[in-house]
Amino acid sequence: MKLKVLLIGLVSISLLAACSGESTTEEMYGHLEEAVELENEFVSQQQPLNELEEQEQAIYQEITTLGMDDMEQIISLADEALQSIEERKELLVAEKESIDASKEEFDKIEPLISDIEDETVQTNANEMYEIMEERYQAYINLHDTYVVSLENDQALYELLKQEELEEDAVTEQIDKVNAQYEKVIEANNTFSETTDAFNESKKTFYESTDLNVTYE
């Protein structure tokens, strides 16, 4: 009943040498790569999130081996799982703040696109911008879907703590948990795909300019 969400981040690209006097594309480069830096906090949340997911999975598996005679131990384990969920909620807050800050920096390129004189470069810049908009919306959907998933997990563990436990109620909640996990997986795939697409579109944009860049 568990998944491991793996999120990929933006690719950092270095400017080898700048021209004298900042051009429009160089100014855009500054905002684009600053946006990458601002996502570092987002990237750093992924390992602890995955570790907490694995911890919760281990707790759940242990609970499934216990019977009603082990109610005290079940309650203790359920409380551990609930604490893990709270910790993940906190990590999600930091993750979203990082994405929002990155998006705010990225949006600074929008008014600069119309200043690009080369038609091909401007077209590539517009495509890159549109893909980032799609990526951000994909992240918001993933974030919101994951939050609901955590709420479903939370409801399950609260249910398991009840001494007068109805099997039908538990089964119904587990079905709800699993259905939401499927939505998280789908949302995660969409976000990963749009991140890949953006990284490619940024590379195409840079290659169409006179910027001297190197890929890390």
Side-chain angles (χ1 to χ4, degrees):
M1 63 170 258
K2 258 311 166 188
L3 72 152
K4 191 170 186 179
V5 175
L6 295 175
L7 301 181
I8 57 175
L10 302 181
V11 173
S12 178
I13 300 175
S14 299
L15 187 65
L16 293 180
C19 304
S20 57
E22 189 176 51
S23 65
T24 298
T25 51
E26 284 174 333
E27 188 176 352
M28 290 175 67
Y29 168 88
H31 293 309
L32 290 168
E33 298 312 309
E34 176 62 20
V36 175
E37 290 297 314
L38 288 167
E39 276 203 18
N40 284 341
E41 184 67 19
F42 156 76
V43 174
S44 70
Q45 305 307 311
Q46 303 316 305
Q47 183 176 346
L49 271 170
N50 286 326
E51 288 174 353
L52 286 168
E53 283 185 359
E54 290 172 357
Q55 179 188 82
E56 186 197 327
Q57 174 65 6
I59 291 170
Y60 178 77
Q61 293 297 336
E62 187 172 353
I63 288 176
T64 61
T65 66
L66 302 173
M68 295 306 295
D69 293 338
D70 305 303
M71 199 62 206
E72 187 175 331
Q73 189 176 355
I74 289 173
I75 292 173
S76 177
L77 288 168
D79 283 337
E80 283 184 41
L82 289 168
Q83 178 59 36
S84 172
I85 291 168
E86 288 303 320
E87 289 176 23
R88 274 191 283 162
K89 286 182 178 180
E90 292 176 7
L91 291 174
L92 282 182
V93 171
E95 179 188 274
K96 187 174 184 301
E97 286 176 350
S98 175
I99 289 286
D100 286 344
S102 175
K103 178 64 166 52
E104 183 178 351
E105 182 66 27
F106 175 86
D107 282 345
K108 292 176 182 178
I109 75 164
E110 185 182 19
L112 299 173
I113 294 175
S114 60
D115 294 336
I116 299 173
E117 295 180 0
D118 187 288
E119 187 175 335
T120 299
V121 177
Q122 188 179 82
T123 297
N124 290 339
N126 276 316
E127 289 179 358
M128 175 182 65
Y129 184 82
E130 289 171 6
I131 292 172
M132 175 56 96
E133 290 296 312
E134 292 175 10
R135 178 180 184 264
Y136 181 69
Q137 291 306 315
Y139 171 76
I140 293 301
N141 180 53
L142 172 59
H143 173 273
D144 293 348
T145 304
Y146 194 84
V147 168
V148 173
S149 179
L150 290 180
E151 291 170 351
N152 286 344
D153 284 358
Q154 196 167 13
L156 175 61
Y157 289 111
E158 292 291 357
L159 196 60
L160 291 172
K161 288 171 63 177
Q162 297 178 14
E163 292 193 18
E164 299 296 326
L165 194 59
E166 294 184 6
E167 186 177 345
D168 288 348
V170 174
T171 300
E172 182 179 344
Q173 187 59 33
I174 289 174
D175 288 344
K176 187 182 293 187
V177 165
N178 289 335
Q180 190 65 23
Y181 285 164
E182 291 299 321
K183 293 179 182 179
V184 172
I185 292 170
E186 183 179 348
N188 180 68
N189 289 340
T190 300
F191 177 71
S192 295
E193 288 166 5
T194 54
T195 299
D196 280 337
F198 173 76
N199 286 331
E200 284 301 313
S201 69
K202 186 172 73 165
K203 182 178 178 180
T204 298
F205 167 68
Y206 282 154
E207 289 176 345
S208 67
T209 70
D210 57 0
L211 294 174
N212 188 10
V213 299
T214 182
Y215 304 96
E216 298 178 1

